[in-house]
Amino acid sequence: MKIENNNIEEEEKSLNFLEEIIENDLKNNVNNGRVHTRFPPEPNGYLHIGHAKSICLNFGLADKYKGLCNLRFDDTNPSKEEQEYVDSIKEDIKWLGFEWHKELYTSDYFDQLFDWAVMLIKQGKAYVDDQNQEEISKQRTSPTEPGIESPFRNRSVEENLKLFYEMRDGIHPEGSRILRAKVDMNSPNMHMRDPIMYRIMRAHHHRTGDKWNIYPMYDYAHGQSDFIEQITHSICTLEFENHRPLYDWFLDNIAQEGEDRPKQREFARLNLNYTVMSKRKLLELVKDGFVNGWDDPRMPTISGLRRRGYTPASIRAFAKRIGVAKRENVIDIAVLEHCVREDLNKTAPRIMAVLNPVKLIIDNYPEGKTEYVTAENNPEDENSGSREMPFAREIYIEREDFMEDAPKKFFRLTLGGEVRLKNAYIIKGESIVKDADGNITEIHCTYDVDTKSGSGSEASKRKVKGTIHWVSAKDAVKVDVKLYDRLFSDENPAGNKEVADYKELINPDSLQTLSNCFVEPSVMSAKSEDRFQFQRTGYFCLDKDSTPEKLIFNRTVTLKDSWSKKQK
RNA sequence: UGACCUAUGGUGUAAUGGUAACACAGCAGAUUUUGAUUCUGUCAUUCUAGGUUCGAGCCCUAGUAGGUCAACCA
């Protein structure tokens, strides 16, 4: 009964403003009850977590309302766009777990767009302007004063047509002429001051090759593409809000009475602290070598997060948790980290790994003996089973799990103190060996043979205040581990006014490579991108650059650590 | 100082004219063979001023603050 109630509560959870709009449209039978969205990336960079928000929104809305969602590449600027980006975008969307209805390209519509432009010229609603960029910009003046009409604004239809065809046919050089919509040079909205529809561009297009000498601008192409695809809800980010009247103006002049028309709606883009989110900046970090490519685990790109060990489910949960609204927002990176911990806690197998090893010798344990102890794979998942791991006289433990002069609250190994070796025995610190510099090289202990985990003996049930992880020295696998920290040391690197360039705020310690780590032998069977919890340390995944000789693990995120916090 | 948009705990998001709630973060405690997880408790919120109304976070007006717009980018 209680579960039923919970389900009802889930379903009746409050709607975001876009869901409200859609439900209202559905109720009024707008678009005959259809819901059709689209995700429209420009293939000029890799997708990042901000795009993930948009993807989850567009695909999620289509899913929720039994509609469709297209993937449409907005490829109207061949000077910036490349096939490599198309491929990566498709891979990232699939990895996130979404399937598009159709894969489409704005360039699929270049012929139709051209025909509509001719139609607008014939209706006296578009004209060819021979002025250069500077002159046009000057005539637009500023938002507070009226604009100045171009001297070419009232050319005859015949002349406009002739020139536009010539532009298409490559008669005129780049930059010499453009096609403008004749809207309103006095509009307080700058986008309405006779916006540019087409520019001359002699660039090779990744799909249409050298067919075109002119390419449409975003404002002329986007709404019409939505219209052609019969998109119902065209969802974009806030900075396009001022474009909406123009979006509608073109459709007013193109769509016929009674035809379904897309409506543009705007939401606030995602901002995350301690990172940057603009494609331009991310490209710069890649090109200038501040990171090792678009999929560097420190990047907020989808491919970076994937390599870091984030799961698709954790990113979807994140998108859901942050919500959708219209006000500017900055999400704490801790929310993303919480989402991945939440998922990995339920799904990641536990293994033992010692990142900063010190040798520990159990003096009263038989030399040469190896026994196997049983370890649960995941206490949060009862179906995950268990495994056997080797235990011997010499093991490695974490250097910070031992202290010579320990404070009272230190629950780990000390001289004369007891601690449990997880899944094995209780040991007691006896003595230490140091090198000439005073560094501890060996810790000698004794163990209580009756305290083996799971043996059921009275002694095994004894409580000791600490439990630490370990690996058998002769059986462990030596691996590399990469510890990642936030890429920027400033909360808002892009907005920091105290530095000339955001790159000055890059965290110099964002990557730390450890090459003397020991992991239990069961990892030998791990595959690239497999995720684990290194017990008591954090979540890690196997990097794709691993070889059978040298495994490389990336730290996704640490475990929450109230001990280190308390120490500060 | 033109147009458009926005304003709720530290950060997000709800409350649809009727008791301001949920999550993250923080703090305190319980449990724990991971100082994790889990559980409990706790701190903290409607930009300002008017107005409408029995009643306003919500509606209206004005102000203030922030964002966007003057690419042949998207």
Side-chain angles (χ1 to χ4, degrees):
Chain A
M1 287 309 273
K2 197 162 190 195
I3 291 162
E4 271 178 26
N5 284 336
N6 284 344
N7 281 341
I8 289 163
E9 277 170 42
E10 266 292 295
E11 282 164 23
E12 289 181 351
K13 200 176 151 243
S14 61
L15 305 175
N16 66 47
F17 80 102
L18 292 168
E19 292 169 332
E20 253 172 57
I21 288 169
I22 290 175
E23 294 203 359
N24 209 35
D25 286 346
L26 253 21
K27 198 165 62 189
N28 297 317
N29 204 34
V30 177
N31 303 308
N32 293 307
R34 288 186 308 117
V35 173
H36 199 157
T37 57
R38 103 267 91 112
F39 174 64
E42 182 188 12
N44 68 342
Y46 279 61
L47 260 25
H48 55 61
I49 183 77
H51 294 109
K53 175 179 179 178
S54 175
I55 290 166
C56 292
L57 232 193
N58 279 296
F59 284 91
L61 251 15
D63 197 47
K64 176 167 183 176
Y65 295 104
K66 302 184 172 34
L68 303 167
C69 182
N70 291 347
L71 168 60
R72 182 172 73 235
F73 290 97
D74 215 342
D75 55 351
T76 58
N77 185 358
S79 69
K80 289 185 177 174
E81 296 149 7
E82 294 173 25
Q83 187 62 38
E84 178 199 349
Y85 298 128
V86 171
D87 297 337
S88 73
I89 288 167
K90 287 164 64 178
E91 187 188 350
D92 287 347
I93 297 171
K94 280 189 246 173
W95 179 78
L96 275 174
F98 296 104
E99 285 173 33
W100 48 85
H101 172 56
K102 285 181 178 167
E103 176 185 335
L104 300 163
Y105 296 79
T106 302
S107 54
D108 295 340
Y109 314 132
F110 280 175
D111 286 309
Q112 173 69 79
L113 256 11
F114 181 84
D115 291 346
W116 276 330
V118 168
M119 183 187 85
L120 290 174
I121 292 171
K122 286 179 179 166
Q123 292 173 355
K125 287 170 181 161
Y127 62 97
V128 173
D129 196 330
D130 300 355
Q131 300 180 103
N132 64 33
Q133 196 166 163
E134 202 181 323
E135 289 165 321
I136 290 171
S137 167
K138 203 179 289 173
Q139 286 163 4
R140 274 205 257 256
T141 70
S142 76
T144 50
E145 51 191 325
I148 299 158
E149 292 191 356
S150 164
F152 300 96
R153 197 173 199 258
N154 293 308
R155 278 225 252 237
S156 70
V157 168
E158 291 67 34
E159 195 182 0
N160 277 322
L161 237 28
K162 174 174 171 288
L163 287 167
F164 187 49
Y165 284 129
E166 288 175 359
M167 283 165 63
R168 177 195 62 182
D169 296 338
I171 309 287
H172 303 289
E174 274 189 22
S176 63
R177 288 182 167 79
I178 52 154
L179 183 72
R180 297 176 78 177
K182 196 188 282 187
V183 187
D184 178 6
M185 286 306 290
N186 294 327
S187 172
N189 181 337
M190 298 301 282
H191 297 287
M192 301 297 268
R193 319 257 261 223
D194 289 11
I196 293 170
M197 293 167 63
Y198 273 95
R199 75 284 214 189
I200 300 169
M201 215 178 198
R202 297 275 151 67
H204 186 83
H205 189 280
H206 73 117
R207 287 180 68 86
T208 61
D210 299 314
K211 177 179 176 185
W212 294 91
N213 296 301
I214 56 173
Y215 289 94
M217 300 289 289
Y218 167 86
D219 281 311
Y220 178 62
H222 201 94
Q224 280 65 261
S225 301
D226 286 338
F227 177 60
I228 291 166
E229 293 176 22
Q230 286 289 284
I231 299 303
T232 56
H233 301 266
S234 180
I235 297 163
C236 62
T237 44
L238 245 32
E239 69 269 26
F240 292 100
E241 218 156 21
N242 291 338
H243 296 238
R244 205 208 286 198
L246 182 57
Y247 182 104
D248 289 336
W249 187 91
F250 281 122
L251 290 176
D252 284 344
N253 287 291
I254 285 171
Q256 302 298 306
E257 190 74 23
E259 288 182 305
D260 285 355
R261 280 174 50 173
K263 293 267 194 309
Q264 178 181 302
R265 306 290 181 186
E266 310 84 11
F267 71 96
R269 64 168 354 118
L270 166 69
N271 295 293
L272 261 188
N273 59 13
Y274 296 102
T275 190
V276 293
M277 205 72 92
S278 88
K279 276 200 223 174
R280 206 205 88 235
K281 291 193 180 71
L282 295 175
L283 177 63
E284 199 172 19
L285 293 172
V286 172
K287 287 254 153 82
D288 296 349
F290 290 97
V291 296
N292 304 314
W294 285 100
D295 67 346
D296 186 297
R298 293 165 293 182
M299 291 281 273
T301 50
I302 307 292
S303 51
L305 292 166
R306 172 163 68 230
R307 195 166 178 185
R308 178 82 171 249
Y310 276 76
T311 59
S314 69
I315 294 174
R316 281 185 257 120
F318 172 74
K320 190 179 253 181
R321 199 176 283 247
I322 60 176
V324 184
K326 292 195 71 161
R327 70 173 150 159
E328 296 289 328
N329 61 82
V330 183
I331 307 290
D332 194 331
I333 188 78
V335 180
L336 221 207
E337 293 177 344
H338 174 264
C339 288
V340 76
R341 284 194 190 104
E342 189 178 45
D343 188 19
L344 259 17
N345 178 48
K346 296 278 185 244
T347 56
R350 272 60 170 166
I351 60 174
M352 298 230 216
V354 176
L355 304 185
N356 183 18
V358 63
K359 184 164 277 186
L360 185 148
I361 300 162
I362 303 163
D363 293 325
N364 60 339
Y365 193 88
E367 283 195 53
K369 176 179 175 182
T370 297
E371 71 179 300
Y372 284 83
V373 300
T374 305
E376 265 185 303
N377 288 329
N378 185 349
E380 300 288 324
D381 176 4
E382 55 187 28
N383 299 318
S384 65
S386 62
R387 66 188 185 288
E388 301 294 298
M389 53 182 295
F391 180 80
R393 185 170 191 265
E394 297 196 0
I395 61 176
Y396 291 115
I397 66 163
E398 214 71 66
R399 202 165 268 279
E400 48 272 28
D401 282 341
F402 175 82
M403 267 185 106
E404 234 182 312
D405 298 305
K408 274 199 190 68
K409 294 289 230 177
F410 187 77
F411 298 161
R412 308 176 189 182
L413 189 62
T414 57
L415 254 18
E418 279 188 323
V419 75
R420 172 168 293 278
L421 294 173
K422 178 136 181 107
N423 302 130
Y425 298 95
I426 293 175
I427 56 168
K428 183 171 165 191
E430 301 288 354
S431 64
I432 50 176
V433 178
K434 292 184 182 177
D435 65 13
D437 301 324
N439 301 311
I440 297 172
T441 54
E442 286 179 5
I443 301 169
H444 287 261
C445 294
T446 50
Y447 84 121
D448 179 344
V449 68
D450 294 329
T451 58
K452 186 171 180 180
S453 294
S455 66
S457 69
E458 277 310 305
S460 74
K461 290 175 187 159
R462 198 149 62 79
K463 301 282 178 198
V464 287
K465 61 182 172 180
T467 299
I468 63 173
H469 61 279
W470 52 273
V471 289
S472 160
K474 64 177 164 53
D475 300 292
V477 182
K478 193 174 179 187
V479 303
D480 279 5
V481 171
K482 295 189 175 184
L483 304 181
Y484 297 100
D485 197 358
R486 41 187 63 138
L487 225 203
F488 291 90
S489 45
D490 190 87
E491 243 185 89
N492 180 15
N496 187 306
K497 301 277 194 299
E498 284 160 30
V499 293
D501 189 318
Y502 72 97
K503 294 193 291 302
E504 291 175 38
L505 298 165
I506 288 177
N507 175 7
D509 303 317
S510 62
L511 168 60
Q512 193 189 346
T513 302
L514 306 178
S515 50
N516 191 36
C517 307
F518 293 94
V519 187
E520 64 170 84
S522 69
V523 295
M524 288 309 290
S525 58
K527 299 185 302 295
S528 183
E529 289 187 16
D530 276 358
R531 306 177 185 92
F532 301 93
Q533 184 196 98
F534 286 4
Q535 206 117 205
R536 300 208 308 133
T537 311
Y539 294 99
F540 293 76
C541 74
L542 191 65
D543 190 77
K544 66 177 184 185
D545 282 350
S546 296
T547 63
E549 291 73 39
K550 180 58 79 182
L551 299 182
I552 303 169
F553 286 92
N554 293 322
R555 184 172 71 194
T556 309
V557 67
T558 60
L559 253 33
K560 274 218 237 165
D561 186 356
S562 54
W563 167 243
S564 69
K565 204 183 285 175
K566 201 172 281 181
Q567 284 189 302
K568 282 171 194 165

